[in-house]
Amino acid sequence: MPPKKFVFFSKKFDNFKQMRYNKFMEQTIVIIGGGASGLMLADALPKTTRVIIVERGERLGRKLSATGNGQGNVTNINAHKEAYFSVEDTRNSRAESLVREQDPTSLQTYFSSLGVLLAADSRGRVYPTGKQASALTDALRYSIARKGVETRLQARAIDLEKTSDGFFVTVQTESGTERIFADYVAVCAGGKAAKNFGTDGSAYALVKPLGHTVTTLYPSLVQLKTDTKYTKTLKGIRVADGVLTAKQKGQTRAEKGDILFTEYGISGDATFRISAFIADKITDGVELTVDFLPDFSEEQLLRIVTEKQKTFPDLPSGELLFGIVNNQIGRAIMKRADGDVASAVRFLKSFPLTVTGTLGFDYAQVTKGGIPLSETDGDLQSRFAKNLYFAGEILDVDGQCGGFNLQWAYSSAKTVAAALIKKCK
Ligand SMILES: Cc1cc2nc3c(=O)[nH]c(=O)nc-3n(C[C@H](O)[C@H](O)[C@H](O)COP(=O)(O)OP(=O)(O)OC[C@H]3O[C@@H](n4cnc5c(N)ncnc54)[C@H](O)[C@@H]3O)c2cc1C
């Protein structure tokens, strides 16, 4: 048995050796962007690495806390191929396979490990049971703090320089600029949509000098501007469970849900969902129609309206659709149909809207387009700069409305984390 004093010093020496070893081994990972994907990535990295999040905003996860109307629609149990889009790769098979690998079940298990209970609604949309998106942000904030992740707030990355053994990230803060050395960099800076959350599209410029390109960008999950000649009087009227159908070059998409008429065109969840299909095709001539009564066929409606005309022969033609649709909608339809019953019934089932544009990036929830996945390898590592990774909306992947975008943030962040964990071993 060695003397007590010797054991003490020998232990101290071992600790010292371990510290030196850790210091020697410690590698720095800088994550640009403290939003959904940046936080999930930081939380998945081992404690043995030094992780620094640089975030231009005053708080972490500002957009995450506003998602799902503040309720946090974090994923969708029906994640499927048709839920994801890519400008460059219209089949979008890579995004789909990454989401399959790190799927909604994995996301739910992850958040429950952080103490957040989740539950799905009848449409497969998953929310924290307390219906507060901020619960997601809080869980991530607490978890990364526990792991010793460093955060630099109000620190905007303005330059990314590749060196022979890593990167220098130049960060602009209130007190000036700072250059941070990183062995690895993950760009999680989001897209161009909703600039009030720090995402104005300026982050793409960080990686262009390294050889990356950016596809054409479009606002998606956004309100649509339409010619309002026949809908001016409908401002403020919401059609619950209407169907919007978009046709373009032989392709047809239909989305059921709320359609809200506004002064510029239409909003509501069916509008948001259909915008994901047509946002990049508006100038190519999209035909958009509203079915006000999807549960009735045109034949049934023709019978009903013809009967009604017989029952009330003195009814002004503008009032004929009362009790069938909202009065204002009925009048607008009868006016457009010039009083003709057969045409009015056709309009009930297929009321054409001429799409003239969208409300734009400031109002959109996501960006369609971004850095092409073909410029990254299977780990979402840059093909132009080794040890540079991407996750989230900055990539050319956008999801349908209903939790699919946060699922993508998660799946892509977990993909990058797995690669970094392997490298930092
Ligand atoms: C109002 C709204 C509601 C939404 N609701 C849902 C929903 O319910 N479900 C869903 O799945 N999706 C929803 N989305 C979309 C979803 O929030 C995004 O797709 C997701 O947050 C993208 O994650 P991200 O990490 O890629 O980017 P973000 O979460 O946007 O984070 C990017 C971060 O990077 C920071 N940043 C940017 N540039 C720099 C820089 N140069 N230096 C430092 N920091 C920088 C930004 O400040 C930002 O905090 C919603 C979006 C909005 C706007």
Side-chain angles (χ1 to χ4, degrees):
M1 185 83 173
K4 248 186 175 174
K5 205 171 164 189
F6 179 77
V7 173
F8 175 75
F9 278 115
S10 135
K11 266 197 182 153
K12 266 202 116 172
F13 183 60
D14 278 343
N15 287 345
F16 178 66
K17 265 199 319 193
Q18 189 62 44
M19 268 168 56
R20 292 284 306 156
Y21 179 74
N22 282 349
K23 196 76 205 157
F24 178 65
M25 290 301 290
E26 191 179 69
Q27 294 189 291
T28 302
I29 302 170
V30 169
I31 298 173
I32 301 176
S37 62
L39 291 171
M40 293 194 254
L41 170 60
D43 195 39
L45 293 172
K47 280 185 184 172
T48 45
T49 51
R50 181 179 183 210
V51 181
I52 306 172
I53 297 179
V54 295
E55 164 55 51
R56 66 186 281 191
E58 286 171 6
R59 278 179 291 122
L60 295 172
R62 271 189 314 154
K63 191 187 287 175
L64 178 59
S65 297
T67 54
N69 281 329
Q71 300 191 343
N73 177 194
V74 68
T75 186
N76 194 303
I77 53 172
N78 304 320
H80 49 80
K81 192 172 176 184
E82 284 74 36
Y84 290 99
F85 310 89
S86 158
V87 170
E88 186 205 38
D89 167 19
T90 44
R91 285 183 307 129
N92 209 2
S93 40
R94 265 194 72 198
E96 191 224 349
S97 79
L98 291 179
V99 170
R100 222 180 311 121
E101 277 165 35
Q102 306 288 344
D103 66 0
T105 309
S106 154
L107 180 148
Q108 291 178 78
T109 309
Y110 168 60
F111 273 103
S112 55
S113 78
L114 297 182
V116 180
L117 264 188
L118 299 171
D121 69 7
S122 57
R123 281 161 56 181
R125 298 176 300 185
V126 177
Y127 296 86
T129 47
K131 288 281 171 81
Q132 279 183 311
S134 58
L136 303 167
T137 316
D138 287 344
L140 290 166
R141 273 194 310 114
Y142 298 147
S143 190
I144 63 164
R146 188 190 52 171
K147 289 184 174 163
V149 170
E150 297 172 38
T151 50
R152 309 276 169 87
L153 296 176
Q154 292 179 284
R156 177 179 178 170
I158 53 167
D159 189 53
L160 179 60
E161 182 194 334
K162 177 95 183 92
T163 67
S164 56
D165 57 348
F167 300 87
F168 274 111
V169 182
T170 307
V171 166
Q172 176 87 58
T173 63
E174 275 186 334
S175 49
T177 57
E178 184 191 348
R179 260 156 64 93
I180 307 171
F181 177 78
D183 298 281
Y184 305 95
V185 170
V187 186
C188 302
K192 195 181 171 181
K195 71 167 184 259
N196 49 328
F197 294 109
T199 41
D200 56 6
S202 58
Y204 301 115
L206 291 171
V207 294
K208 282 188 178 172
L210 300 174
H212 283 286
T213 61
V214 179
T215 68
T216 311
L217 303 173
Y218 306 89
S220 187
L221 308 192
V222 63
Q223 302 85 339
L224 295 173
K225 285 189 192 165
T226 63
D227 182 343
T228 54
K229 183 172 169 201
Y230 297 107
T231 57
K232 257 193 200 93
T233 52
L234 306 186
K235 186 180 147 193
I237 294 173
R238 184 181 293 275
V239 180
D241 288 330
V243 171
L244 276 175
T245 303
K247 284 191 191 152
Q248 198 251 355
K249 290 187 184 157
Q251 287 200 320
T252 304
R253 291 282 182 180
E255 288 294 335
K256 190 173 185 184
D258 272 7
I259 305 162
L260 173 68
F261 286 93
T262 65
E263 59 197 355
Y264 54 77
I266 51 170
S267 181
D269 74 290
T271 306
F272 273 51
R273 286 206 303 278
I274 207 82
S275 77
F277 293 106
I278 66 172
D280 52 342
K281 303 179 182 74
I282 287 170
T283 49
D284 294 347
V286 183
E287 288 172 41
L288 191 66
T289 54
V290 183
D291 181 348
F292 291 101
L293 295 162
D295 295 337
F296 294 84
S297 69
E298 199 174 314
E299 293 73 42
Q300 281 175 312
L301 287 169
L302 188 58
R303 255 198 322 273
I304 292 165
V305 180
T306 313
E307 268 313 300
K308 196 164 183 186
Q309 205 177 25
K310 283 185 196 152
T311 314
F312 302 108
D314 300 330
L315 201 65
S317 88
E319 305 304 312
L320 194 58
L321 299 182
F322 86 87
I324 294 175
V325 279
N326 170 291
N327 283 346
Q328 294 284 40
I329 294 175
R331 285 176 200 131
I333 286 178
M334 290 309 294
K335 190 169 172 201
R336 193 165 185 179
D338 236 351
D340 177 61
V341 169
S343 317
V345 168
R346 261 194 309 279
F347 284 144
L348 277 174
K349 292 297 292 172
S350 181
F351 189 85
L353 295 173
T354 306
V355 186
T356 56
T358 72
L359 272 203
F361 285 104
D362 290 358
Y363 294 87
Q365 288 194 354
V366 298
T367 312
K368 188 178 279 303
I371 292 167
L373 284 181
S374 60
E375 294 180 6
T376 65
D377 68 12
D379 293 330
L380 298 177
Q381 177 180 219
S382 163
R383 290 196 190 280
F384 307 131
K386 198 171 157 233
N387 297 334
L388 172 67
Y389 291 82
F390 298 96
E393 204 179 303
I394 191 157
L395 288 162
D396 173 21
V397 176
D398 60 295
Q400 185 50 283
C401 196
F404 301 101
N405 287 292
L406 288 175
Q407 176 63 48
W408 168 247
Y410 171 82
S411 303
S412 54
K414 285 296 241 192
T415 303
V416 172
L420 284 171
I421 289 167
K422 248 189 249 156
K423 280 197 173 170
C424 295
K425 252 185 188 158

